[in-house]
Amino acid sequence: MSDADVAAGPADDAGGADLDRGAEDDRGADLDRGAEEDRGAEQDRAAEEDRGSDLLVREGDIAADYLERLLDIVDYDGDIDLDVENDRAVVAVVGTRLQSLIGPRGETLDALQELTRLAVQQKTGVRSRLMLDISGHRNNRRQELAALARATAERVIDAQEPARLAPMNPFERKVVHDTITGIDGVRSESEGEEPNRRVVVLLAQ
């Protein structure tokens, strides 16, 4: 080995060390940038969730004002409860002698819900998915429909043939679908057009 080769060795080692340190610095910078991006993304998500929550609370407040004026016009007494469930504002009117605001098969309630959603949308500029309940009608109906879905599923399994339920509104169909989803051996689908759209319960494929 020549003297020149020997003299070049330490310089090469120093250059390699510099490269190693440079690579480590780059990796560290990449990690720092990645951590900052993750923190930024988390902050953005948190801010978006806060904005969504604030909007739902505002929807409830607007709906409450609208319904209070409506109750005054029709001269009905009722308390208004506000909540947020499953990423939607929930407004409940609680009181006695409110059956006429529910109507047969909840049709009047459904119409009031749509009017309330429109009133909210006019104020916020955003389409509302607000849920309106009066005197616990939807909660009671939810329990009835869940029981109907379970009984229908049992009948379908025993008879080994599908069963068609009576026409339902979207809220009622969703309750049935959600219940059937939790039962082994059966599935459900909707058929027909509004207002005669209905749920069909079938054997699972």
Side-chain angles (χ1 to χ4, degrees):
M1 182 169 57
S2 68
D3 292 342
D5 291 337
V6 173
D12 290 343
D13 290 344
D18 288 341
L19 289 174
D20 289 342
R21 282 195 296 272
E24 288 179 2
D25 290 343
D26 288 343
R27 285 195 295 271
D30 288 342
L31 289 172
D32 289 341
R33 282 195 296 272
E36 288 178 3
E37 290 173 357
D38 288 343
R39 284 194 295 270
E42 290 175 0
Q43 290 171 353
D44 289 343
R45 284 193 295 270
E48 186 66 28
E49 289 175 359
D50 288 342
R51 284 194 294 270
S53 178
D54 290 344
L55 175 61
L56 294 179
V57 170
R58 186 182 175 211
E59 284 189 7
D61 291 339
I62 295 170
D65 290 341
Y66 175 80
L67 291 167
E68 284 174 354
R69 292 196 299 271
L70 176 65
L71 291 174
D72 287 340
I73 291 172
V74 297
D75 195 24
Y76 283 175
D77 292 326
D79 295 325
I80 298 178
D81 293 335
L82 306 177
D83 200 357
V84 173
E85 296 178 4
N86 300 321
D87 294 327
R88 71 167 63 189
V90 178
V91 181
V93 181
V94 182
T96 58
R97 300 187 303 106
L98 297 177
Q99 186 60 39
S100 59
L101 296 180
I102 298 173
R105 294 181 54 202
E107 292 174 357
T108 305
L109 171 58
D110 288 340
L112 283 175
Q113 177 174 272
E114 288 306 309
L115 288 174
T116 304
R117 286 177 172 178
L118 287 174
V120 169
Q121 182 175 340
Q122 285 181 338
K123 295 286 188 179
T124 64
V126 179
R127 190 175 188 279
S128 174
R129 297 174 56 247
L130 175 146
M131 177 74 75
L132 174 64
D133 195 7
I134 295 178
S135 295
H137 172 79
R138 291 199 191 279
N139 186 53
N140 293 336
R141 185 63 175 149
R142 184 180 287 108
Q143 295 178 17
E144 293 172 357
L145 290 167
L148 172 64
R150 289 191 291 269
T152 302
E154 185 176 339
R155 188 168 72 250
V156 167
I157 292 172
D158 290 343
Q160 293 290 291
E161 60 183 23
R164 287 171 171 77
L165 302 180
M168 297 178 181
N169 62 37
F171 162 76
E172 294 172 328
R173 293 196 301 271
K174 184 178 186 307
V175 173
V176 174
H177 287 310
D178 289 347
T179 303
I180 293 298
T181 297
I183 301 175
D184 293 335
V186 290
R187 60 185 178 89
S188 62
E189 59 186 37
S190 294
E191 68 175 20
E193 302 294 332
E194 301 289 3
N196 297 313
R197 194 163 175 78
R198 68 184 68 217
V199 175
V200 181
V201 181
L202 312 95
L203 291 169
Q205 295 179 338

